[in-house]
Amino acid sequence: MAELDLTALYEAYYSKMAQTSTDFVRYLYDEINWEAHIIGIKGARGVGKTTMLIQRIKLNFADDYEKALYASLDNLWFNTHSLMDLVRYLDMRGIRHLFLDEVHKYKGWAQTIKNISDIYPRMQIVYTGSSLLEIDHSQVDMSRRQTLYTLTGMSFREYLAYEGVAKLEKCMLGDLLAHHVNIAAEITAHTDVMAYFGDYLHHGYYPFYKEAGRDYLTRLRETVTAVIDSDVPAVENFEFETLDKIKKMLLIIAAQVPFVPRISALCEQVATTRNMALKILYLLDKAQLLQLVTQREKSYKNLVKPEKILLGNPNLMYALAENPETGTVRETFFACQLAEAGSVTSPDKGDYLVNGRYLFEVGGRRKTFKQIKDVPDSFLAVDDTLVGQGNKIPLWMFGMLK
């Protein structure tokens, strides 16, 4: 095989290595089976997928970085070379660990990775892709070939670790509900959580807030635009006009969250059909820019009208909404964190039903059980509270779930 010039790829690889620290590692790192043959990591822009790939190389191949290669598939190198060419070249030289970033930017990526798995069984591939990715098993069956993970933004627990404030253990939801008083008392004895909670709501969800500094919200708005202008077209065959409608719909919702949708009115505002409006809403939910709360567990195949729409996380509220309302920021945080523990649906009474069992009302410290009294397994998630009592739980504690 003719010699390939990998200079551009290796320059990008070693530049990323030099820029990436292993001092802080995201929660998902320890949950991944790094020995699997093909590993996929999906997630929204900015949550740290690329960093995790580089950290894996630095932590596992510290004796010789040339045993592996990192390559982003939006690198111009792939305009004139194929991924299969690269794998063939690496395999001949005994390099058997390939870390691929931004796979959704490579046409036919799933079929190519399947072919690599068949032809080069010794080649391990770890790839990242947009949270919008959905593998169509009828076209490319990778379900038995890969282990797929989803990386979300930082929890409040991770934020405290990232800030060097405290390293706290992750809580399971059942343990949190049953023992929240003891857990909160232990944490608050040595950590002033309330001094950091407001900062987290404003800028702690995406790890890049540290490098962005005071430009963070501007960078976050740019990230949202990149998701719509770049990531959406990579997975959906939308025209430019439709991308503009997606942006308009997102801004309409951001100005009114929590948004109780009247689909017909929304269709009029963005000049689209009901089916397209629902498709856009669920697409923005997949992209983690919105949270759709439905009566039953959400399905991306059955696009029902959501009962309530929130932005994807509290940081997006500060980036996209002019004057974020405190109560909405609370609800956005709660729904975002609880989505990690299972399904979050809209109940007949109360604000949120979790896993079809636990009923929650979200509010300030003076919130009462009036609306959900006498309902089994009902709880209050209350802000401005260090330690709760009974079924009244401090809101910040739900940031300990991941």
Side-chain angles (χ1 to χ4, degrees):
M1 179 182 179
E3 190 78 13
L4 282 181
D5 184 359
L6 304 185
T7 302
L9 294 184
Y10 273 100
E11 283 179 350
Y13 173 33
Y14 288 121
S15 174
K16 288 287 187 185
M17 295 286 280
Q19 297 169 25
T20 303
S21 167
T22 57
D23 292 342
F24 172 77
V25 178
R26 293 295 314 281
Y27 75 98
L28 187 65
Y29 188 94
D30 292 331
E31 298 177 9
I32 292 175
N33 173 18
W34 291 107
E35 303 305 315
H37 181 41
I38 301 177
I39 300 168
I41 304 172
K42 290 169 48 175
R45 276 182 180 254
V47 296
K49 302 184 300 298
T50 301
T51 298
M52 188 171 290
L53 290 192
I54 301 299
Q55 287 176 331
R56 176 58 184 173
I57 297 172
K58 294 187 80 166
L59 292 170
N60 196 59
F61 300 97
D63 59 327
D64 186 359
Y65 292 151
E66 292 191 2
K67 290 181 179 177
L69 176 65
Y70 161 89
S72 180
L73 287 168
D74 63 356
N75 191 302
L76 291 175
W77 189 88
F78 290 101
N79 287 356
T80 53
H81 303 84
S82 75
L83 179 55
M84 188 63 80
D85 287 340
L86 175 63
V87 170
R88 186 181 303 116
Y89 187 84
L90 296 178
D91 183 73
M92 289 178 63
R93 284 152 182 80
I95 299 171
R96 304 278 156 68
H97 301 277
L98 182 57
F99 293 78
L100 298 174
D101 215 357
E102 305 270 24
V103 295
H104 55 286
K105 300 295 181 66
Y106 190 88
K107 188 176 181 180
W109 68 270
Q111 184 64 57
T112 301
I113 290 178
K114 178 181 180 296
N115 292 343
I116 292 169
S117 173
D118 291 339
I119 300 170
Y120 301 98
R122 293 180 296 179
M123 180 67 69
Q124 184 197 41
I125 291 181
V126 184
Y127 73 83
T128 75
S130 166
S131 56
L132 292 161
L133 282 183
E134 184 174 331
I135 297 172
D136 186 346
H137 296 299
S138 66
Q139 295 179 19
V140 181
D141 184 8
M142 291 180 62
S143 57
R144 292 167 298 178
R145 299 169 184 267
Q146 70 170 349
T147 308
L148 190 61
Y149 300 89
T150 299
L151 180 65
T152 55
M154 290 202 301
S155 65
F156 181 45
R157 182 187 71 87
E158 287 187 289
Y159 174 75
L160 292 173
Y162 195 36
E163 283 289 304
V165 176
K167 290 187 177 181
L168 305 173
E169 292 295 321
K170 181 171 73 172
C171 293
M172 301 299 292
L173 179 60
D175 290 338
L176 180 67
L177 299 180
H179 308 294
H180 67 89
V181 174
N182 289 347
I183 296 170
E186 183 178 338
I187 291 174
T188 57
H190 55 77
T191 307
D192 185 5
V193 292
M194 299 310 293
Y196 297 93
F197 189 50
D199 290 341
Y200 168 78
L201 296 176
H202 181 270
H203 60 249
Y205 189 78
Y206 298 92
F208 68 81
Y209 77 85
K210 276 196 175 184
E211 64 181 76
R214 64 180 60 186
D215 295 327
Y216 173 67
L217 294 183
T218 299
R219 284 272 303 276
L220 186 49
R221 285 189 287 271
E222 291 170 352
T223 298
V224 171
T225 299
V227 169
I228 297 171
D229 286 344
S230 181
D231 294 354
V232 169
V235 297
E236 293 284 350
N237 187 25
F238 283 161
E239 296 179 354
F240 180 78
E241 182 183 3
T242 303
L243 300 181
D244 273 351
K245 291 179 180 180
I246 294 173
K247 293 175 189 174
K248 186 175 181 179
M249 186 180 292
L250 181 61
L251 292 177
I252 289 171
I253 292 169
Q256 301 179 52
V257 287
F259 186 74
V260 179
R262 288 177 54 237
I263 298 298
S264 58
L266 194 59
C267 289
E268 286 183 17
Q269 287 177 282
V270 297
T272 192
T273 65
R274 176 184 174 85
N275 287 343
M276 179 56 75
L278 286 173
K279 183 172 183 177
I280 290 172
L281 287 174
Y282 277 80
L283 193 67
L284 291 172
D285 182 275
K286 269 189 185 180
Q288 299 173 25
L289 297 179
L290 292 181
Q291 301 180 77
L292 306 186
V293 185
T294 52
Q295 282 191 324
R296 294 182 177 82
E297 190 167 351
K298 195 162 44 191
S299 167
Y300 292 109
K301 293 182 179 179
N302 181 24
L303 306 185
V304 300
K305 181 180 84 69
E307 299 300 310
K308 183 186 293 187
I309 301 175
L310 299 165
L311 290 181
N313 62 74
N315 292 186
L316 287 172
M317 287 203 63
Y318 288 98
L320 300 178
E322 287 190 12
N323 296 297
E325 198 269 328
T326 301
T328 306
V329 173
R330 291 170 181 153
E331 286 198 40
T332 303
F333 166 79
F334 179 85
C336 176
Q337 303 296 306
L338 265 292
E340 299 295 316
S343 66
V344 178
T345 54
S346 177
D348 295 328
K349 289 183 178 180
D351 289 328
Y352 300 98
L353 185 66
V354 177
N355 292 338
R357 173 181 177 183
Y358 304 114
L359 184 65
F360 290 92
E361 277 274 318
V362 182
R365 64 188 304 168
R366 295 182 180 177
K367 187 75 174 179
T368 70
F369 282 90
K370 181 179 179 180
Q371 292 176 279
I372 55 174
K373 64 178 181 179
D374 303 324
V375 178
D377 290 322
S378 61
F379 301 86
L380 297 183
V382 291
D383 201 3
D384 301 319
T385 303
L386 271 181
V387 181
Q389 59 180 2
N391 283 15
K392 199 170 186 176
I393 304 173
L395 182 64
W396 65 263
M397 292 198 70
F398 294 96
M400 300 293 117
L401 293 174
K402 72 168 185 180

